[in-house]
Structures are given as structure tokens and as C-alpha cells.
Amino acid sequence: MIVGVHPLAGFDKLLHYRVPDHLAPTLAVGSLVRVPVLRTLRLGVVGQIGAPADFPADRLKSVAQVVHPFPALTEELLQLARWMAGYYACPLDGIIETMIPGAVRSGASLKVEKLLGLAGRLDATELAALARRAPQQARLYEFLARQFKPQAKALVLARLGVTAAPVTALVRRGLVTETERRIEREAYRDEFSAEERVASVPPRLNEEQAAAVAAVTSHLSAGRFNVTLLHGVTGSGKTEVYLHAIEAVLKSGGGVIFLVPEVALTPQTVARLRSRLESIAPDHKCVVWHSHLSEGERLDGWLALANGEARVVVGARSAVFAPVKNLRLIVVDEEHEPAYKQDETPRYHGRDVAVYRAKLNAAVCLLGSATPSLESYANTRAGRYSLVELRRRVDARRLPHIDIVDMRVEVARSRGLTTLSRRLADAMRDRLEKREQTILFINRRGYSSSMLCTECGHVEECAHCSIAMTYHRTDETLRCHLCGEHRAAPLTCPKCRSPKIRWRGLGTQRVEEAVRRVLPRARIERMDTDTMGRKNRFREILGQFRAGRIDVLVGTQMIGKGLDFPNVTLVGLVDADISMHIPDFRANERTFQLLVQVAGRAGRGDRAGEVVVQTFTPQAEAIQFSRQADYAAFAEAELKLRHDFKYPPYRHLIQHRFRGPNAEKLKFFCEQWARRVEQHFGARLELRGPSPAPIEKIKDEYRWQIWYFTSSVTKVIGELDRLRGEFPWPNEITQVLDSDPVSLM
Ligand code: ADP
Ligand code: ZN
Ligand code: ZN
């Protein structure tokens, strides 16, 4: 037998090997093997059984080892890997390494323990002879002779301080047997422990929810590929819809992947999910998958899924590669979240990979959000995805009232910059008296280098690209980082002539100080990247907040994810503008999403919620539509704009980033390269740039970029990759291709 193997060795090639007879039975497509490559043994994945008919089999090297008795990747995952390699411009071996956890690749199998037991007897003289000749063997024999039953090998060796060699010798003489025992799986101990599992009686579905479940289950029972977008306003009970769909799949013997944007930030959601899922299928475990797992836990979860002990996994984006058997359903919660995109190689988008994997399995992919990405929404309008809507909150709770505060007026009145408007301060005082809680959000997508007039709210945009221009301190210019247009930065507002043009965001600390001035007696906590770095601190604060020991919580929008605090009746957004003026064609979309999601955090209990949004541009569409949480109207307006400028979702964007220590050289090579690309593609590809990235310099390295617009990513990536290989790049310039980028900074 001959097999083709993809070695994980930093190159993209299928190499052929012979398979020794004794290995053949355990080997299949997707098996992890060790093979000789250039005199070293390398890990590889079997990509193909068999070889071309006239293949010179006699000169082939042999597969040295099969790591697991079952394939580490199913054929379906291998196919997914091939698609990803072509779409995301990443070598196949890099993708495979991303798919298979390190502990699995190293072949460790913590679940099996070796046991040593006595198989034969020595009489006294034989033992004395052995003690003289091989004292270690004698000690081992004597120890085992005193035991009633076989003992764990690792323990015995550690206890006696001997190596494995004497064991081998005794086994060969037939005095000792070595057997394997499967260790009973310990109760899955992880951070989502009992205290967090909310034992909940499932609520009865309302009509809308029931209709949504019926729609999804009909696709499930059809057994065909389908993508359904579940658009449900915040608090409409999307989770119950997911759970019912999952229940249907588990009951019919299928497997499920449930993706959430950030497990570490949504412990409450994950705990709730897990306890519900385990009550649906009590004989199956629910694997939780995230980046903080230890190697052992990861291996445990992976093996449980691969051998069918567990059929459902909840996790962040990499859980999309989980070896779930008979995969019938992939749920992507908060599908609009940029966190689904990996910002290092391979730069895949978890949602899009989920859709593709569902397709390979003829399964259903259920995308859910209160503010769907325009990509997914456009797909429903084009008839590629089904759309299901939940228009009402459960129990007909009202959506909170959104109050827009015009900061231009506040600034004029206070004759300076204010952090908290009087409106917001008054509302906070009111809550403190009523012993209700407040969350203040600070907009961290903040990018401080756009130009905002605090008097009239004007922001300079590029006429060709409809995105905010970026202020460059070095040469005092405003630049469009897309088309490269630039002009001198104005000293006064081009619209109202005011000199108060600023480009500064607010930090959480500054907001916290402002709150202390307004509410000296309140108990205030701040959550930002510093606090979030320490996971326990983060959960501690959330626990205190839930217990009512904190009055005001200040933080970035990340703290709001999936949290459900019934006593929060006021939510403030301190600086709505910032995300609107980042030089990104998705700026409006991000702002709308932020406002709607933030507002959804208020009024989850029995009391009505209130939301105060501070902005210098109250007339902006993203802000006006969010007041009514009118997604359809917002999407309509925004899609039209995207269509006019031919931005995604109407075409795909590929971002080509370049970095180098020397600005002139970098610019020169980017221009040469751009000419080469134009020459090659002609009218087949629209190219914008080269131009400096919005953040032009990071850690002494300059950053430039080119944007390509296309409707066939895989084809263009393939051609670009080939051209790239032939182009004479200096060593100091590094570059990366990013398909469907979400971060444009
Ligand atoms: P969403 O994800 O759509 O914002 P959730 O799924 O978090 O909403 O649900 C909001 C709350 O409503 C949760 O506490 C949930 O338990 C509850 N809920 C969901 N469905 C119902 C229902 N049919 N009746 C009563 N409460 C429900
Ligand atoms: Zn102005
Ligand atoms: Zn432009």
C-alpha cells in the first residue's frame, strides 16, 4: 500500500510513502503519521490512499508510525483544510496544525495507563542470582511480588527510582506483564464549575420562537445544506431557539458545534448552555472549548468528541474544527462579531468556515444576532440564506428608551470638554437613590486620529471612498488610507470655522474619575484590558456586580457581551462617535451594532430600562436608526451606500499588508508590486493603493497596504500567491494577505 502524506514541515507538498503491512489496518485518510523527511521524522497527515499507477514504489521510504488508531482529521475536515488554504492564502500544513490541538499531534494519550503485574515466580536462589547480576530488576520483582494486583507503571518506577529498562528485561523473561488500562474519565473539571451552572426550568416557547424552531428543524430533517439567519432583537430569546434545534439534533443521534465569540467573556452564557445541554442528553458530555484549557483538558475534550462520547461542543472560533461525529448543526451566536476572525495566520473567519463546513456535511448552519452582519443579511436577500425573525422581546418586555444627548450643546454650555453630560449624570444619581445599577460603556473601537469638530460635529471624509480621513501628525496632513488622497490638515473646522477640532478618545480611567466626581458615594468598578487580562478579577467583578455590591460599572463594550443583569436599569454610552469615524467602511455598521447591543443590556428585569447615548453627531443614520432599533431600515440605507462604492458585501475585499523598517524602500516596493499586479490582472481586479495603513507605524516598522476587490477570492489569492513568489522582495519587507479582513487599522 502507498499513501500520500502532507508533512507538517513548513512546506506545501504531498509526499508518497510505503505502508508496512502491520500498520496498514490502522491507517486511513486523515490519519496522523510519522514519516521520514530529509533524515528527520516528521508528523504528517495522510491525504490520499494509493498513488498513480506508474509510481516507482521500490524507491519509496516507509511510514514509521501511526500516531492514533483513528484518523485525526476526517476526510471532511481535510477537505475543509484544502479550501481554507486556497481561500486564506495559508500553506496547508499551517491550517492542519491549527485544526489539530498540540496534545493530539504529540500523540499523548493521557487516558491510558500502563500496569505492571507479576507473571512468573523465581525461587530464592534465582532471586539472589538476579540481585547480584541486575539489582534494579530484582528490586522491581520483589516489589511486584508483594502486591495483590497490578500496579501503575509510572507509580512503580517513581517509587523505586528505576528506569524502564529493567521492566523490559523482566517482561522479556516472562516474569512481568505489562498491560494497559483505560483511566476512567474524571468528572469534567474546568472553570465552568457547579456554582455557575444555573439550574433553570426551560421556559415555554412563545409563538415567534416556536415558528423559528419549526423552520430550523424542517431544514434539519430535510438533511440538506442550509444556512438560516436568526435575526432576533435583544432579549427575544434566541438562545431558546438554538437549544431546541440542538435538542432535535441530539435526539436523532447527530452532533453539534455551538460557537460563541469569546468564551472567557461569557462564562454565564456558557455555563447556562452547558447545564441545559447536559440535561437534554444526560448520557453525553458537553465539551467546552477555549484558549485557556490546559493541554490535558484539550486532549480530553478532543478525544471525547472524536470517539463519540461527546456529541456537542461549545466554544470560541477554533471549536469550528472540533472532530464532532455526524455533524448536523453548527450554531454561530452573535455572528456579526469581529472576534470570529483570527488576526494571525491562518486568518480565517469562524463564521464563514462554519458555513463551509456545514456545506461539506450537508448540515444546517444557524447564524444568530440582533444586528446581523451586512454580509449575512445580504445573503438572505439574495436567497442564499433563509431568514427567520424574532421581532418581540420575551414577555413583551419593551425595548429600552434611547435618549440621544447632543454633546455639541453640552460643550458649548460648559465651555470645555465634558465627559458626562448633565442628562447622564442626573440619571445616574436617580439610579443610585433607587438602588438600581448603571453600566457605562466606553467605545474602544476608538481610533483617535480622525478629525472631529466638537462644535458642529463635522468629520472630514474622502470624497472617493466615503470613509473618514486620517490625521497624520508627522506632516500635518489628512489622508485617505484607501485611495491615497491627501491634503494639509485644516486648523479650523472646514464647515463652521471653529478651532475646536479634536482627535482624542476617552480612557476608562478618565470616565471613572468623572463618575467619582458626580457620585462621590457610589461604589464604582472599572473593567478594561488590564482587569480583563486577569481572568479571575474579571469574574470577581461580575460576581460582585450581580450581587449588587457595585453601583456603577465602567468598561469597554466587551463587558456587555451576553450579560443579563435584571437590576441594570440605566446604560450609558459615553462616546458614540468614535466608532463612526474610524477609517473603515464598516464604521456605520459597527456603530449601529454597538448602540443596539449596548441598549439591549438595559431593562432585562421587570423594570423598564433607559439608555443614554452621548454624541457629537446626533443626526447620523447609525444613531438615528438605532433609536428605534430598526435594523431593516439601517441595513437598507447602508447596503445602498456599500453598493454605490462597491464595497463588501457586493464584492470581496482582500487586504495586502506590507511592513518594513524603511519607509522609502517600502513605498517603492509596494508601488513596483502594484504595477506588477495591474499588469497581470488588467481589468479583472480592482486595486486601491498602495497607501500607508491608518496606523502608519507600529514599533518602528512602517505599514503600507493595497486593497484588492474581487468576486472570486480563491482564484485571485492563487494568482497573487504565485506572483508574490516570483517577485524580488527584499528580506526586510514582510507581507501578509488577508481575505475578508475585519480589522482595517
Ligand atoms: P437574546 O439572546 O435573544 O438576547 P436570550 O436568549 O438571552 O435573548 O433570552 C433573554 C431571557 O429571556 C433569558 O433570561 C431567557 O431565559 C428568557 N426567555 C427566553 N425565552 C423565553 C420564553 N419563551 N418565555 C420566558 N422567558 C424566556
Ligand atoms: Zn465645525
Ligand atoms: Zn479615498
Side-chain angles (χ1 to χ4, degrees):
M1 181 157 103
I2 293 175
V3 291
V5 174
H6 299 286
L8 307 183
F11 55 82
D12 233 338
K13 242 184 189 164
L14 193 71
L15 303 181
H16 287 86
Y17 294 90
R18 213 159 8 153
V19 182
D21 289 343
H22 70 283
L23 291 182
T26 50
L27 198 144
V29 169
S31 286
L32 209 53
V33 291
R34 279 182 218 286
V35 289
V37 177
L38 299 173
R39 285 195 215 154
T40 59
L41 272 191
R42 291 294 187 139
L43 214 53
V45 172
V46 175
Q48 192 185 77
I49 303 269
D54 54 346
F55 210 77
D58 48 318
R59 295 219 316 274
L60 284 183
K61 292 178 184 162
S62 294
V63 170
Q65 190 198 350
V66 180
V67 181
H68 299 282
F70 48 83
L73 291 179
T74 53
E75 283 207 62
E76 154 249 340
L77 278 171
L78 203 54
Q79 236 174 309
L80 186 69
R82 291 195 179 110
W83 170 74
M84 286 176 67
Y87 193 95
Y88 294 109
C90 176
L92 188 64
D93 65 334
I95 307 260
I96 291 176
E97 275 179 30
T98 305
M99 286 184 164
I100 309 177
V104 176
R105 275 183 272 134
S106 66
S109 183
L110 304 182
K111 288 297 126 208
V112 176
E113 170 177 70
K114 290 216 162 87
L115 297 177
L116 298 181
L118 213 57
R121 291 269 165 194
L122 295 175
D123 58 31
T125 40
E126 285 168 328
L127 182 58
L130 183 65
R132 255 175 280 121
R133 190 171 49 79
Q136 288 207 349
Q137 287 183 37
R139 265 199 307 171
L140 195 61
Y141 171 85
E142 284 188 284
F143 178 82
L144 290 174
R146 285 197 304 269
Q147 310 299 322
F148 293 106
K149 56 180 200 290
Q151 297 293 316
K153 179 177 177 182
L155 283 181
V156 174
L157 297 191
R159 177 88 162 268
L160 301 181
V162 300
T163 62
V167 176
T168 318
L170 290 176
V171 168
R172 213 176 293 130
R173 278 183 69 179
L175 289 170
V176 167
T177 53
E178 200 174 321
T179 51
E180 281 188 354
R181 176 179 73 174
R182 268 187 77 84
I183 301 172
E184 285 311 309
R185 191 170 295 280
E186 277 180 63
Y188 200 95
R189 264 189 299 118
D190 57 29
E191 53 185 300
F192 299 93
S193 51
E195 14 115 24
E196 295 229 35
R197 298 204 193 181
V198 199
S200 56
V201 184
R204 264 178 62 98
L205 295 185
N206 63 31
E207 247 170 69
E208 281 190 325
Q209 285 173 314
V213 171
V216 178
T217 45
S218 78
H219 290 302
L220 283 169
S221 47
R224 275 196 306 271
F225 168 57
N226 162 270
V227 185
T228 294
L229 175 63
L230 175 64
H231 172 216
V233 299
T234 53
S236 58
K238 292 185 284 296
T239 312
E240 282 304 318
V241 176
Y242 304 147
L243 285 168
H244 278 78
I246 293 171
E247 184 168 1
V249 171
L250 291 179
K251 287 205 163 131
S252 67
V256 178
I257 296 176
F258 192 129
L259 299 181
V260 293
E262 257 279 20
V263 174
L265 296 178
T266 50
Q268 195 188 12
T269 317
V270 172
R272 216 167 34 160
L273 275 176
R274 180 147 169 213
S275 59
R276 273 292 291 286
L277 292 175
E278 293 192 344
S279 70
I280 290 172
D283 50 331
H284 285 282
K285 297 215 171 49
C286 168
V287 172
V288 178
W289 194 259
H290 56 86
S291 54
H292 301 300
L293 292 180
S294 70
E295 287 281 282
E297 288 169 320
R298 200 176 295 279
L299 180 69
D300 252 23
W302 194 90
L303 287 173
L305 292 164
N307 66 26
E309 262 174 72
R311 284 192 286 136
V312 49
V313 57
V314 177
R317 88 182 150 247
S318 64
V320 75
F321 305 123
V324 173
K325 286 186 150 174
N326 188 19
L327 181 62
R328 303 312 313 140
L329 174 67
I330 308 181
V331 176
V332 185
D333 191 21
E334 308 289 0
E335 66 88 27
H336 65 279
E337 270 295 326
Y340 280 119
K341 176 87 177 181
Q342 174 148 302
D343 58 7
E344 56 192 53
T345 321
R347 296 170 182 265
Y348 68 95
H349 197 299
R351 175 198 62 215
D352 299 341
V353 172
V355 168
Y356 198 85
R357 191 167 177 201
K359 187 174 174 188
L360 290 175
N361 285 277
V364 172
C365 188
L366 178 57
L367 311 176
S369 174
T371 52
S373 63
L374 289 177
E375 281 79 1
S376 297
Y377 190 66
N379 273 324
T380 68
R381 300 224 309 191
R384 285 188 288 271
Y385 295 0
S386 317
L387 177 65
V388 175
E389 289 179 293
L390 303 177
R391 296 163 196 275
R392 282 187 304 274
R393 287 190 140 187
V394 293
D395 292 346
R397 283 175 211 153
R398 301 245 314 279
L399 278 169
H401 178 73
I402 299 188
D403 208 347
I404 309 287
V405 176
D406 188 341
M407 291 304 281
R408 295 172 301 185
V409 178
E410 289 287 322
V411 168
R413 199 167 296 170
S414 72
R415 272 182 253 108
L417 277 184
T418 42
T419 306
L420 298 176
S421 60
R422 282 161 311 141
R423 175 76 191 79
L424 187 51
D426 288 345
M428 286 169 63
R429 261 185 228 112
D430 175 61
R431 295 315 126 123
L432 190 60
E433 267 160 36
K434 291 187 190 151
R435 310 197 137 271
E436 293 172 3
Q437 290 170 300
T438 299
I439 301 182
L440 282 191
F441 287 98
I442 293 150
N443 202 337
R444 255 306 166 77
R445 290 202 211 295
Y447 179 68
S448 55
S449 294
S450 66
M451 217 202 68
L452 170 72
C453 171
T454 58
E455 212 135 302
C456 77
H458 177 74
V459 171
E460 281 283 278
E461 285 194 345
C462 172
H464 313 293
C465 307
S466 173
I467 59 166
M469 295 188 86
T470 309
Y471 171 67
H472 286 252
R473 242 167 270 262
T474 39
D475 55 356
E476 291 285 322
T477 53
L478 282 181
R479 283 175 183 273
C480 171
H481 78 99
L482 280 194
C483 67
E485 163 139 337
H486 61 281
R487 60 183 104 112
L491 298 172
T492 58
C493 170
K495 211 167 142 202
C496 77
R497 299 285 149 220
S498 159
K500 287 182 195 153
I501 38 181
R502 66 157 194 172
W503 31 76
R504 256 174 66 85
L506 293 164
T508 43
Q509 202 168 347
R510 223 169 106 192
V511 174
E512 187 191 358
E513 285 160 15
V515 177
R516 286 199 193 284
R517 277 197 301 277
V518 176
L519 303 175
R521 284 180 305 116
R523 294 161 299 176
I524 307 166
E525 271 295 347
R526 175 162 59 95
M527 294 213 320
D528 47 27
T529 29
D530 305 340
T531 25
M532 291 207 279
R534 285 168 294 145
K535 199 173 46 185
N536 292 335
R537 179 77 187 125
F538 175 74
R539 309 173 115 227
E540 201 179 295
I541 293 179
L542 286 187
Q544 287 178 1
F545 191 59
R546 184 168 299 119
R549 288 195 288 274
I550 295 171
D551 302 309
V552 182
L553 192 59
V554 179
T556 57
Q557 60 258 41
M558 287 309 278
I559 66 175
K561 293 279 155 53
L563 300 182
D564 203 349
F565 299 112
N567 199 37
V568 172
T569 56
L570 174 65
V571 167
L573 179 58
V574 178
D575 48 357
D577 302 274
I578 303 289
S579 59
M580 208 152 34
H581 307 315
I582 53 176
D584 181 338
F585 65 86
R586 290 196 185 89
N588 290 334
E589 185 181 359
R590 297 274 185 256
T591 305
F592 180 82
Q593 285 165 350
L594 171 66
L595 261 62
V596 171
Q597 298 286 350
V598 156
R601 297 300 132 218
R604 287 218 154 198
D606 305 326
R607 277 154 295 196
E610 188 182 11
V611 179
V612 176
V613 171
Q614 304 189 148
T615 174
F616 285 97
T617 50
Q619 73 287 355
E621 278 181 348
I623 290 186
Q624 286 303 325
F625 286 125
S626 71
R627 280 180 87 164
Q628 275 85 41
D630 192 346
Y631 177 81
F634 169 75
E636 200 67 41
E638 187 62 19
L639 281 175
K640 183 172 179 315
L641 192 73
R642 300 275 186 94
H643 187 262
D644 290 347
F645 285 90
K646 295 209 227 142
Y647 284 140
Y650 294 98
R651 286 186 301 184
H652 287 276
L653 168 63
I654 300 170
Q655 179 170 259
H656 201 169
R657 273 278 163 83
F658 306 85
R659 280 183 312 166
N662 182 315
E664 282 308 308
K665 241 177 161 174
L666 187 64
K667 180 165 180 269
F668 175 78
F669 274 96
C670 288
E671 279 161 358
Q672 299 290 308
W673 164 253
R675 217 159 295 149
R676 179 80 191 88
V677 172
E678 272 170 345
Q679 205 177 47
H680 174 84
F681 284 93
R684 285 193 298 136
L685 190 72
E686 193 197 322
L687 176 151
R688 282 197 213 177
S691 55
I695 303 174
E696 202 181 334
K697 193 176 172 187
I698 293 180
K699 291 185 189 148
D700 288 330
E701 275 203 308
Y702 291 88
R703 305 163 82 233
W704 276 62
Q705 67 187 20
I706 302 176
W707 279 18
Y708 313 111
F709 288 99
T710 175
S711 41
S712 52
V713 174
T714 307
K715 193 160 181 303
V716 169
I717 286 285
E719 290 178 46
L720 284 173
D721 224 18
R722 200 167 42 73
L723 282 185
R724 216 159 46 142
E726 297 162 359
F727 197 77
W729 297 104
N731 280 337
E732 62 184 48
I733 294 181
T734 54
Q735 45 164 323
V736 60
L737 284 166
D738 190 355
S739 304
D740 305 326
V742 301
S743 167
L744 308 180
M745 294 296 110

